[in-house]
Amino acid sequence: MKTKTLVFTLGTNTRQYENMAAARLQLREHLPGIIFSANVWTDPIGIESDQFLNCVAMVTSTLPPDKLNTIVQEIENSLGGKDHENNIVNMDIDLLQYGQQKLKKQDWQRPYVTEGIKEILDEE
């Protein structure tokens, strides 16, 4: 399979530092060479909760989308998943780009996403 550039966003509103560190560690285990932006605090969108701690991650990989989704789900679940009823997001990891395909177009407008990608690209 051809190597693709992947872009992920990570976000948590519960035990933010702890959950972010654990998610980063687990992603590194599955996707060697992954690069993370700095963590950024953001206000919640559409829910009432504590602030979110977010970051962006970028890596190249040959893994297919279904395998990536499985990895993401396992990491989210290992950290307690999401409880939408109570506005708890232990960890949310979204795949925003797979190769040339951009997903979740509305997320690309968020400042932490555009700034995080720029930060990662400037480091390379």
Side-chain angles (χ1 to χ4, degrees):
M1 185 160 218
K2 197 172 175 185
T3 299
K4 309 272 188 190
T5 297
L6 312 177
V7 176
F8 296 92
T9 55
L10 290 74
T12 175
N13 69 357
T14 307
R15 297 183 323 274
Q16 291 95 323
Y17 287 116
E18 178 186 334
N19 286 342
M20 186 63 73
R24 284 177 178 236
L25 181 65
Q26 290 182 54
L27 280 168
R28 281 189 185 102
E29 291 171 2
H30 291 283
L31 297 165
I34 194 166
I35 301 169
F36 296 93
S37 70
N39 291 331
V40 177
W41 289 102
T42 62
D43 292 325
I45 299 172
I47 66 170
E48 288 193 28
S49 79
D50 289 340
Q51 280 195 309
F52 277 77
L53 189 60
N54 296 284
C55 76
V56 176
M58 188 178 290
V59 68
T60 57
S61 176
T62 58
L63 292 175
D66 60 330
K67 178 64 176 165
L68 293 167
N69 287 333
T70 298
I71 290 168
V72 164
Q73 287 297 312
E74 287 174 357
I75 294 170
E76 289 178 347
N77 291 340
S78 77
L79 296 172
K82 297 170 249 188
D83 177 358
H84 295 290
E85 211 169 278
N86 293 305
N87 297 326
I88 294 171
V89 179
N90 290 298
M91 180 51 61
D92 183 32
I93 304 172
D94 290 321
L95 179 61
L96 289 196
Q97 182 174 328
Y98 183 78
Q100 296 302 310
Q101 184 181 12
K102 288 190 175 182
L103 312 164
K104 297 190 171 264
K105 301 240 193 282
Q106 71 278 8
D107 289 0
W108 286 90
Q109 308 307 311
R110 296 187 179 153
Y112 84 89
V113 173
T114 55
E115 291 165 13
I117 291 171
K118 182 179 182 320
E119 176 188 331
I120 290 170
L121 292 175
D122 286 348
E123 287 178 7
E124 289 185 342

